[in-house]
Amino acid sequence: MFKLTKYIKLESLPFPYGKPQWPNTVERTPPKYALGARFETDWSRSPAIRAIRSIITDFFTKPAINILAKPTIMGTDRILEVPTPAIFAANHASHIDTPLLLTSLPDRYRHKTAVGAGADYFFNKRYKGYIWSFLLAAIPIERIKVSRRTNDLAKKVLSDGWSLILFPEGGRSPDGFAREFKGGAAQLSIKTQRPVIPVYIGGTYEIFGKHKTLPQKGKTVVNFGYPISPSTTDPRQFAKTIEAEVTRLADEVFSDYWSAAKNQGSHITPSLRSTDNESWIQDWNRPRYKNITQSREKAWLTLPLMKKKFE
Amino acid sequence: MAPRPGFILNVEKSYPGTLFWHGEGFRLEKLPEGSRVIYPPESLPAIQDTVSAIDHALDNPRGDSKSLQALLRPGMRLTIAFDDVSLPLPQMTAPDIRSILIEQVLERAARAGVEDVVLIAALALHRRMTTQELRHAVGNRVYDAFFPKGLLLQHDAEDPKGLSYIGETELGEEVEISRRAAESDLIIYVNINLVSMDGGHKSVATGLSSYKSLRHHHNVKTMVHSKSFMDLEKSELHSSNWRMGKVIRDAGIPIFQIETTLNNNTFPHQFSFLQKREWEWSLKDRASFIATSNALAKTPPWLARNIFHGIRSPYGLTGVNAGEVEAVHKETLINVYKQQLVHVSGQSDILTMGLPFVGPYNVNSIMNPILVYCLGLGYFFNMYRNKPLVRKGGVVIISHPTRVEFDPVFHPSYIDFYDNVLSETTDPKEIESRFEESFATDPWYIHLYRTGNAYHGVHPFYMWYWGAHALDHLGAVIILGGDPKAVSRLGFLSASTMNDALAMASHYVGNSPSLTHLHSPPLLMAEVE
């Protein structure tokens, strides 16, 4: 997303053009509105807002995603009988993962699914909180530490019958490789005894990875796996199981169902994680969801980027 | 509310009429007072968690079989055979139960490190399935993983190198099955049991066999002595298959049978009136019946056919059993009967039935006159236990348009059978002795069967034998609303209205006959006391 503030740093301008510095000796006044994890999102799950959001999702977001990301949706037959609500746990490489996954969900989930979004990133400003909770039914999730508030909110959302999309990596991948799955989604599943549906999302890093300023058209894949019920009380162990399932779903996309099943049986499923951050060869060989539409970026759009690169 | 069992209506004055299937359309007929209409039991509740039910079945096998996990080992040759497109009818909404089962089997095979896996559609002499049909049956994931590598095959009963002679039964019946299956360390058969005829030893002994083997039970003598072939204990067809099954077992070919049963939820909600008793039709049901039947009356048959064949049934799973063939089949039959059996007291002089657009052999295709005969006198007539619904010398009235239409791609030999064989005789025994061999060994039909999507050359003969028991039993067959030319070629009588048909029947059964109507869909099986 193009950010003007990236180029014009208001804080760096001298007072009174820039923000005044707060004296350390003076106690800060509490913020007027609750932000971050304290941001109130109950209103975004009310029937009226849900109805408006359904229209936006079906008539705006979905067509837009279809044009931008041309998703191939696989495995929906595996979640036909899963009792709602459920927790969708996916790998995360791009901002478009959320709308892509939301619009790929079968009808019975699509309009009653909330999204766990980083409290520090999506809810640090009031307007951002309103936008994301309105458009995606986002709820604030603490990424750094496990807070009681985040936990209670997620549990409440599930107990209200809403499914939840969580990205257990805790943020977008910086390089296209997945990162270790944290225990948040697993812990929530264990506590609420709701099944986790593993999801592999492929191709989104190439379209709008962390390094990109503007999205580039391409093709994506969303592969849903069989639901996993929490069989252990150890969130770390369960997170590993979820990660293994997502990895297998990726293998299924890049090879085929039977090869992926055999690889998992023999414990040789190719990892989604990077083992050597320094190696260009590994990055070169990273499995990419093919069929990326190669289109030249518009010169005027790339200019600010290039300028930055050569600075 | 618990599903209601089958019901027998005694027709009286206050009665709305009875719905008859009429090919790609419907007829609403008023039956004479005193007639009986047999309604099938309502759909049983489906198992909610299919995957868990399958897991349970695979881990807790029936009979003396070990669990599937215990049978799988690295380095073994595993063959997974599955029923072809003739089951279920109409095709299921995705995911097909076979695809879910096959995936669960493959998951276990992968965990056990079984590399050598081949999937075979057990076609016997049926046509090869089209790509879309195969994909639907096994699911996208399995299809994409196995088909491109040549590991998803369709059984070829005419491939001399692909067949293996196993031995013969004590009655001299030769047993020949697919070589790949015969040389496997384990055959897993994935079955759908829509009617009680399916499954058991018939799965492998028929599904993976050749003409040489099939001719021992697919013949007039066997079929006339199968009373009925839907009743395992009184079916000569099954006795023969069971003998063959024992030969296969004695040859040391292990079979792990997985059988599933489906409920009666045959049509999607748009056609819910088809599954209800007429006096319970709501305003919506009546509106959709009127709209559908009027629209169909104005629709050309080819379009109506395409619409109907596009229907996918929301069948639900009522049971899944796995393990040793006979023990599994015993459980399966209990489930089938629980869904389909209706107790009926006494036979009647006339049996009426309406035939739908689809039978086992015209999925995505035309129901030609020979298939109409087979569905009516083969399948529907035989949906009984103990004794037929109609007395010896009685009359069957079948409602179907019976057009002289054939699918040249799927049914090439049927065209010649209709033109050259039925024009000479309709007597099954004569047909068998005079014509069968020339059709069965015709190289062009064999070529079309092996390389195209054609039924084997001998298949129309089997269709004719399928109705041999009914022909032997009945005094006359009347087709209501059928093409008179086709009906007379089949050797039957043709009537344009129900009253005409009843008047014609009175020549055979007297002026005040008793009448029973087999109300279908969904399927039912009559236990006649």
Side-chain angles (χ1 to χ4, degrees):
Chain A
M1 207 176 291
F2 184 73
K3 284 178 183 168
L4 199 65
T5 48
K6 258 190 183 174
Y7 305 99
I8 307 166
K9 305 267 183 208
L10 286 175
E11 302 89 69
S12 59
L13 293 174
F15 182 75
Y17 303 102
K19 264 186 175 177
Q21 270 193 325
W22 196 274
N24 287 335
T25 49
V26 181
E27 199 183 332
R28 282 182 183 265
T29 48
K32 209 173 171 186
Y33 305 101
L35 288 173
R38 301 176 63 83
F39 189 86
E40 193 52 62
T41 56
D42 284 358
W43 60 272
S44 68
R45 294 185 296 281
S46 67
I49 300 293
R50 191 181 145 197
I52 299 168
R53 185 167 48 240
S54 304
I55 294 167
I56 295 173
T57 308
D58 286 350
F59 296 100
F60 176 74
T61 319
K62 199 172 166 67
I65 284 291
N66 284 345
I67 293 168
L68 179 69
K70 278 198 186 146
T72 303
I73 300 161
M74 298 158 70
T76 44
D77 57 300
R78 295 196 268 220
I79 57 171
L80 284 179
E81 290 174 348
V82 183
T84 51
I87 301 163
F88 293 89
N91 59 319
H92 195 21
S94 162
H95 280 317
I96 66 161
D97 286 345
T98 308
L100 173 65
L101 181 49
L102 257 185
T103 53
S104 305
L105 290 176
D107 288 348
R108 69 192 185 104
Y109 292 106
R110 196 184 309 145
H111 304 306
K112 215 174 173 189
T113 297
V115 179
D120 54 319
Y121 186 88
F122 292 95
F123 292 92
N124 61 345
K125 295 268 169 28
R126 219 169 135 228
Y127 76 92
K128 280 165 94 177
Y130 280 117
I131 287 175
W132 298 126
S133 43
F134 171 65
L135 286 180
L136 304 171
I139 59 164
I141 302 280
E142 292 267 29
R143 297 196 272 195
I144 318 295
K145 53 177 184 181
V146 181
S147 81
R148 176 180 280 272
R149 194 183 157 79
T150 297
N151 251 332
D152 289 350
L153 178 60
K155 272 196 252 174
K156 181 178 176 296
V157 168
L158 284 172
S159 66
D160 288 348
W162 284 67
S163 295
L164 196 55
I165 291 175
L166 292 174
F167 296 106
E169 289 169 69
R172 287 170 297 156
S173 159
D175 51 10
F177 287 101
R179 290 180 295 170
E180 187 186 3
F181 277 30
K182 294 178 183 172
Q187 192 180 28
L188 186 63
S189 167
I190 292 166
K191 288 232 166 110
T192 57
Q193 285 300 304
R194 301 309 309 171
V196 171
I197 298 172
V199 187
Y200 171 71
I201 301 173
T204 52
Y205 181 77
E206 283 71 20
I207 290 177
F208 193 32
K210 212 170 180 177
H211 64 286
K212 289 209 174 179
T213 316
L214 281 168
Q216 182 189 358
K217 268 169 85 174
K219 292 190 179 178
T220 53
V221 63
V222 181
N223 193 9
F224 293 94
Y226 280 111
I228 325 167
S229 297
S231 52
T232 164
T233 49
D234 178 8
R236 282 186 192 170
Q237 194 56 41
F238 189 39
K240 277 186 186 156
T241 312
I242 299 169
E243 188 179 346
E245 281 304 317
V246 173
T247 310
R248 179 227 161 115
L249 290 171
D251 193 14
E252 214 174 88
V253 168
F254 293 113
S255 58
D256 58 60
Y257 163 75
W258 177 232
S259 307
K262 280 194 294 185
N263 287 344
Q264 195 184 37
S266 317
H267 308 288
I268 52 166
T269 305
S271 174
L272 281 179
R273 284 202 235 160
S274 161
T275 45
D276 184 358
N277 288 330
E278 300 302 313
S279 165
W280 69 272
I281 300 169
Q282 197 178 21
D283 184 47
W284 186 260
N285 291 332
R286 179 170 64 82
R288 288 165 170 82
Y289 185 62
K290 302 282 185 231
N291 308 324
I292 303 293
T293 312
Q294 294 294 346
S295 64
R296 287 177 65 183
E297 290 185 65
K298 299 278 185 298
W300 64 271
L301 289 175
T302 53
L303 269 175
L305 248 188
M306 286 169 68
K307 197 179 157 196
K308 213 178 166 196
K309 265 182 198 167
F310 292 111
E311 265 170 6
Chain B
M1 202 169 72
R4 294 177 294 181
F7 177 74
I8 299 170
L9 171 77
N10 285 308
V11 172
E12 45 174 327
K13 264 187 188 160
S14 60
Y15 130 91
T18 304
L19 180 77
F20 278 62
W21 263 114
H22 189 70
E24 296 87 12
F26 313 106
R27 288 175 84 105
L28 208 51
E29 296 287 350
K30 280 269 186 186
L31 294 172
E33 276 181 51
S35 303
R36 296 185 302 186
V37 183
I38 311 174
Y39 288 89
E42 286 183 339
S43 182
L44 294 175
I47 291 171
Q48 288 305 309
D49 190 348
T50 314
V51 174
S52 302
I54 293 170
D55 281 344
H56 182 264
L58 299 181
D59 294 336
N60 300 281
R62 302 277 176 185
D64 56 3
S65 172
K66 288 182 195 165
S67 75
L68 182 57
Q69 202 64 50
L71 290 169
L72 300 169
R73 59 173 199 279
M76 74 184 296
R77 274 164 80 87
L78 175 65
T79 299
I80 303 172
F82 56 93
D83 281 338
D84 73 346
V85 75
S86 57
L87 286 163
L89 297 173
Q91 288 183 76
M92 274 180 93
T93 42
D96 192 289
I97 188 65
R98 281 166 290 207
S99 69
I100 305 176
L101 263 166
I102 291 171
E103 267 196 30
Q104 292 311 308
V105 169
L106 288 173
E107 289 292 327
R108 281 168 165 71
R111 278 206 294 272
V114 184
E115 276 288 340
D116 188 356
V117 180
V118 167
L119 280 84
I120 304 180
L123 302 181
L125 301 182
H126 295 176
R127 69 173 171 85
R128 280 148 51 86
M129 292 156 82
T130 62
T131 307
Q132 289 87 345
E133 289 164 348
L134 207 52
R135 191 177 267 282
H136 180 82
V138 299
N140 283 329
R141 284 186 291 277
V142 174
Y143 184 90
D144 290 335
F146 285 82
F147 190 80
K149 293 176 186 158
L151 300 175
L152 172 55
L153 309 172
Q154 308 211 47
H155 174 61
D156 183 352
E158 287 290 348
D159 177 10
K161 286 182 193 159
L163 294 165
S164 180
Y165 181 76
I166 309 294
E168 59 179 48
T169 67
E170 65 268 22
L171 298 184
E173 297 147 315
E174 296 144 293
V175 183
E176 190 176 50
I177 64 166
S178 150
R179 179 177 294 277
R180 164 73 205 194
E183 291 174 358
S184 290
D185 297 311
L186 181 65
I187 302 172
I188 297 177
Y189 196 98
V190 176
N191 146 287
I192 298 178
N193 241 86
L194 193 65
V195 290
S196 52
M197 179 193 71
D198 308 322
H201 283 301
K202 191 172 164 288
S203 294
V204 170
T206 295
L208 294 176
S209 69
S210 66
Y211 171 63
K212 193 172 166 186
S213 207
L214 277 169
R215 62 187 174 160
H216 293 292
H217 45 72
H218 277 52
N219 56 45
V220 180
K221 194 179 162 205
T222 308
M223 297 317 293
V224 169
H225 288 95
S226 295
K227 294 177 178 176
S228 77
F229 63 69
M230 294 287 175
D231 185 0
L232 179 67
E233 274 128 43
K234 293 188 177 170
S235 166
E236 192 44 44
L237 171 75
H238 286 85
S239 305
S240 175
N241 270 291
W242 255 241
R243 287 191 293 272
M244 291 183 170
K246 284 188 180 94
V247 171
I248 295 170
R249 189 176 59 201
D250 294 345
I253 303 167
I255 300 173
F256 188 82
Q257 182 93 355
I258 309 171
E259 295 194 353
T260 58
T261 45
L262 304 176
N263 64 11
N264 255 349
N265 194 10
T266 315
F267 289 95
H269 64 91
Q270 297 89 333
F271 293 100
S272 59
F273 63 89
L274 286 170
Q275 297 180 166
K276 285 186 179 174
R277 298 161 190 182
E278 289 82 353
W279 59 94
E280 290 175 354
W281 283 8
S282 64
L283 180 66
K284 183 184 153 240
D285 294 325
R286 280 177 285 142
S288 49
F289 169 72
I290 293 166
T292 315
S293 51
N294 284 334
L296 286 170
K298 291 179 177 56
T299 310
W302 65 267
L303 184 59
R305 199 157 45 228
N306 283 352
I307 295 168
F308 271 111
H309 281 289
I311 292 176
R312 293 286 175 267
S313 299
Y315 282 122
L317 184 72
T318 57
V320 52
N321 287 286
E324 189 271 320
V325 180
E326 288 175 25
V328 166
H329 194 60
K330 218 169 161 184
E331 296 296 323
T332 302
L333 286 183
I334 293 171
N335 281 334
V336 172
Y337 290 148
K338 208 193 282 174
Q339 176 62 86
Q340 293 180 1
L341 213 57
V342 183
H343 293 274
V344 181
S345 63
Q347 295 173 305
S348 60
D349 300 315
I350 300 174
L351 174 67
T352 58
M353 55 178 78
L355 298 190
F357 63 98
V358 68
Y361 313 111
N362 77 310
V363 177
N364 299 323
S365 175
I366 299 166
M367 188 180 288
N368 61 49
I370 298 151
L371 291 175
V372 171
Y373 158 90
C374 172
L375 188 64
L377 299 190
Y379 281 86
F380 278 48
F381 175 85
N382 279 290
M383 290 298 274
Y384 74 84
R385 278 175 82 183
N386 203 17
K387 49 190 178 182
L389 275 164
V390 57
R391 70 167 168 83
K392 179 96 179 156
V395 174
V396 163
I397 300 174
I398 295 171
S399 164
H400 193 276
T402 324
R403 297 186 191 90
V404 190
E405 278 183 308
F406 291 88
D407 187 326
V409 177
F410 289 173
H411 304 121
S413 61
Y414 280 68
I415 303 172
D416 294 338
F417 182 85
Y418 182 82
D419 287 337
N420 303 334
V421 178
L422 289 183
S423 56
E424 296 263 330
T425 175
T426 56
D427 175 30
K429 276 183 194 153
E430 195 185 340
I431 287 176
E432 185 179 36
S433 59
R434 277 180 63 194
F435 299 100
E436 183 186 306
E437 207 181 334
S438 65
F439 274 67
T441 53
D442 187 303
W444 178 241
Y445 294 143
I446 292 174
H447 172 74
L448 292 177
Y449 160 78
R450 295 190 65 191
T451 57
N453 292 94
Y455 278 89
H456 193 277
V458 79
H459 203 260
F461 289 80
Y462 292 166
M463 297 299 93
W464 207 257
Y465 308 159
W466 237 230
H469 163 42
L471 285 184
D472 187 49
H473 183 84
L474 295 170
V477 178
I478 299 167
I479 298 195
L480 177 63
D483 178 345
K485 226 165 82 183
V487 174
S488 97
R489 176 65 62 90
L490 296 176
F492 303 149
L493 301 167
S494 148
S496 48
T497 67
M498 181 56 89
N499 285 340
D500 287 354
L502 293 173
M504 289 158 88
S506 65
H507 293 293
Y508 299 89
V509 290
N511 284 328
S512 53
S514 54
L515 186 149
T516 300
H517 176 64
L518 191 67
H519 197 285
S520 180
L523 290 169
L524 75 86
M525 188 161 174
E527 168 103 65
V528 185
E529 304 297 334

